[in-house]
């Protein structure tokens, strides 16, 4: 059996999870800049590696294919990279393998916002670009939003972003990370 060595807290990837349109990419880019780390948007990385957009991938190869390559990429990033800021697609964290590897190898932040705030502020911005929302009623989207909350509840830290600007949310994450480093790995 292979023995795994613990990744020092300061070297762990910081992983942002939450519902689609929550601001994971925008906030993740700001966190990366503040911590001098590379930022990886998992969805953008999949598009780059496969030479097609996610809506095209859903249409041509199906959601099951997309979820498989999404899982493989996240597992690879979590086990083989350090010092990154990762933004996961809204549905990625529903996969047990993804949750397990993120929690074991990274520091997972849940960007939480209320259904009402998401519906009023975020939905109009993303409704046409997300294949998971295609042909769904508002009631079906609401059901999806609440179904995903149980997976998102498995995290290391939660940031309620309803009333926060992206810069404020990023600062809150960075302050939390630095405090944790100081408490658990002081004088490094």
């Amino acid at each position: 059996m292979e023995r795994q060595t613990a990744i020092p807290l300061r070297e762990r990837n910081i992983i942002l999870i939450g519902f689609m349109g929550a601001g994971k990419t925008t906030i993740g880019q700001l966190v990366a800049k503040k911590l001098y780390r590379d930022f990886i948007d998992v969805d953008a990385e999949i598009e780059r590696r496969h030479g097609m957009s996610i809506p095209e991938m859903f249409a041509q190869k199906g959601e099951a294919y997309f979820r498989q390559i999404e899982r493989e990429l996240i597992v690879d990033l979590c086990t083989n990279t350090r010092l990154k800021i990762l933004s996961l697609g809204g549905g990625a964290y529903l996969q047990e393998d993804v949750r397990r590897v993120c929690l074991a190898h990274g520091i997972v932040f849940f960007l939480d916002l209320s259904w009402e705030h998401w519906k009023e502020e975020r939905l109009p911005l993303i409704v046409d670009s997300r294949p998971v929302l295609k042909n769904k009623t508002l009631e079906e989207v609401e059901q999806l939003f609440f179904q995903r909350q149980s997976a998102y509840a498995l995290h290391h830290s939660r940031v309620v972003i309803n009333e926060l600007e992206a810069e404020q949310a990023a600062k809150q994450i960075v302050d939390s990370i630095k405090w944790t480093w100081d408490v658990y790995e002081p004088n490094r």
Side-chain angles (χ1 to χ4, degrees):
M1 185 156 100
E2 213 176 288
R3 183 184 158 119
Q4 288 186 322
T5 57
I7 300 169
L9 202 55
R10 290 176 187 264
E11 294 181 22
R12 289 181 181 227
N13 293 328
I14 297 166
I15 302 161
L16 304 181
I17 65 167
F19 201 63
M20 63 188 99
K24 298 177 296 288
T25 297
T26 302
I27 293 167
Q29 290 169 333
L30 292 167
V31 170
K33 186 176 181 182
K34 291 176 184 302
L35 293 176
Y36 304 99
R37 290 186 175 199
D38 292 331
F39 172 75
I40 300 172
D41 178 306
V42 169
D43 286 350
E45 184 65 13
I46 289 170
E47 289 179 340
R48 186 187 69 76
R49 290 184 182 195
H50 293 271
M52 67 173 63
S53 72
I54 290 172
E56 290 172 333
M57 201 173 295
F58 264 67
Q60 293 176 21
K61 301 191 177 215
E63 184 175 0
Y65 173 82
F66 171 75
R67 295 297 177 198
Q68 176 187 336
I69 62 172
E70 176 184 58
R71 180 179 60 252
E72 290 168 358
L73 175 59
I74 294 168
V75 168
D76 178 56
L77 289 170
C78 286
T79 56
N80 296 313
T81 68
R82 294 181 182 190
L83 302 169
K84 307 285 187 234
I85 309 298
L86 306 178
S87 168
L88 272 54
Y93 205 69
L94 302 178
Q95 299 178 72
E96 186 178 337
D97 290 345
V98 169
R99 282 194 309 274
R100 184 176 32 246
V101 75
C102 288
L103 290 166
H105 296 279
I107 302 170
V108 179
F109 280 86
F110 169 35
L111 302 185
D112 191 10
L113 71 168
S114 70
W115 162 250
E116 289 302 318
H117 186 84
W118 185 86
K119 180 179 70 171
E120 299 299 323
E121 301 291 327
R122 309 298 172 92
L123 178 59
L125 303 174
I126 66 167
V127 68
D128 295 327
S129 64
R130 306 299 170 108
V132 173
L133 298 178
K134 192 174 184 176
N135 300 321
K136 288 211 174 17
T137 66
L138 186 59
E139 292 75 26
E140 290 169 325
V141 174
E142 181 178 17
Q143 184 179 12
L144 180 66
F145 180 92
F146 286 106
Q147 283 174 342
R148 291 185 174 186
Q149 297 304 306
S150 61
Y152 298 152
L154 303 169
H155 56 264
H156 294 112
S157 191
R158 175 176 157 251
V159 179
V160 178
I161 59 172
N162 284 339
E163 304 303 324
L164 296 180
E165 295 293 326
E167 185 66 41
Q168 294 170 306
K171 183 181 182 325
Q172 191 171 331
I173 291 168
V174 168
D175 289 348
S176 173
I177 289 291
K178 287 182 175 180
W179 181 87
T180 302
W181 290 344
D182 289 344
V183 168
Y184 294 101
E185 292 182 354
N187 303 320
R188 290 189 85 184

